[in-house]
Amino acid sequence: MHVATGLLKNFLRDEEGAELVEWIVFVALVVLGIAAAVAFLRDEINSGYARIGNCIKNASSCT
C-alpha cells in the first residue's frame, strides 16, 4: 500500500503527469465530439449505407 501511495505522490509531483492528464482530457473531448457527430448524423449515415447497398444489389437503380 505504501508503494502505491509513493508512486501516486511522485506521479502527481511530476510535471509529465500533468501533461499526460491534459492529453487524456484532450483525447476524451475529441472522442466525445466524434460520438456526438455520429449521433447527430446517424440517420444520414444509415441512409447512405442503404443507398450503397441498393446500388450493389441493383446497379441500374444508381444515379
Side-chain angles (χ1 to χ4, degrees):
M1 184 69 168
H2 295 291
V3 174
T5 306
L7 289 173
L8 182 61
K9 285 181 183 179
N10 287 338
F11 177 74
L12 293 175
R13 280 191 217 130
D14 190 6
E15 290 187 18
E16 290 180 10
E19 188 174 323
L20 176 65
V21 171
E22 291 171 359
W23 275 106
I24 291 171
V25 169
F26 174 72
V27 169
L29 288 174
V30 169
V31 168
L32 286 174
I34 292 170
V38 168
F40 182 72
L41 299 172
R42 181 178 304 162
D43 292 334
E44 288 82 2
I45 292 170
N46 285 337
S47 67
Y49 281 129
R51 190 176 70 243
I52 292 170
N54 289 335
C55 286
I56 291 172
K57 288 179 186 176
N58 185 5
S60 64
S61 69
C62 297
T63 55

